[in-house]
Amino acid sequence: MMITHDTRCALDAVVDLLNTAPEGEAPGAPDSLTDLAALQEFVQRNDVSDVGALGEGDLAAVRDVRARFAQVFAADDDRTAAELLNFLVASAGTTPRLTDHDNYDWHVHYFAPGASVAEHLGADGGMALAFLVVAGERERLRHCEAPDCRHAFVDLSRNRSRRYCDSRTCGNRLHVAAYRARRREAAG
């Protein structure tokens, strides 16, 4: 599956946004998108372009978009995901346009000029997720299989075999725990 640079950036922003939410299965996991400083940090970390001054309304709207992205990841089937994405993209006032800003080659932005940060994320992120649905690749939208982690990720491996949000942390931690358990059992 070929994913363009701008689509990959949008998918990365969706995943990062989802991972700011409290993790449903981890008791006491904090929400890391609680104030305007955290929203500004998210915008900078993800190089979200054309964002003006942020206000409290932006924070609430981005958290609403985050909840809608979570519904797409949790959707039981493609039809449900498509309905959720259609609503999200339409709500963002999608206006596709070609651009070549910041030394990037030509690519498509789906948000209208002057759009809020939530509309920007809803339009670009919603379209990136829509491309996965259209390609029959929605199963690539996953959550980490580590028992103490439920972070979202998009599995872009060739054989769709990725199980953990980060193989260096979650995957390695589980492999080390399994190794130690085998050693204890063998020592017995």
Side-chain angles (χ1 to χ4, degrees), residues 64-138:
D64 181 58
V65 168
R66 179 180 69 182
R68 294 185 185 286
F69 284 147
Q71 291 174 330
V72 173
F73 267 67
D76 290 330
D77 54 50
D78 288 348
R79 182 164 306 283
T80 302
E83 289 170 1
L84 292 164
L85 288 168
N86 284 338
F87 178 80
L88 184 63
V89 170
S91 297
T94 307
T95 307
R97 63 190 166 96
L98 285 167
T99 183
D100 66 343
H101 65 89
D102 298 329
N103 296 320
Y104 290 112
D105 287 334
W106 289 105
H107 59 283
V108 179
H109 280 187
Y110 295 94
F111 60 95
S116 71
V117 66
E119 291 166 335
H120 178 137
L121 294 169
D124 277 1
M127 289 303 299
L129 293 171
F131 293 145
L132 291 177
V133 172
V134 168
E137 301 284 352
R138 193 179 59 83

Side-chain angles (χ1 to χ4, degrees), residues 124 149 157 170:
D124 277 1
C149 179
S157 66
C170 291

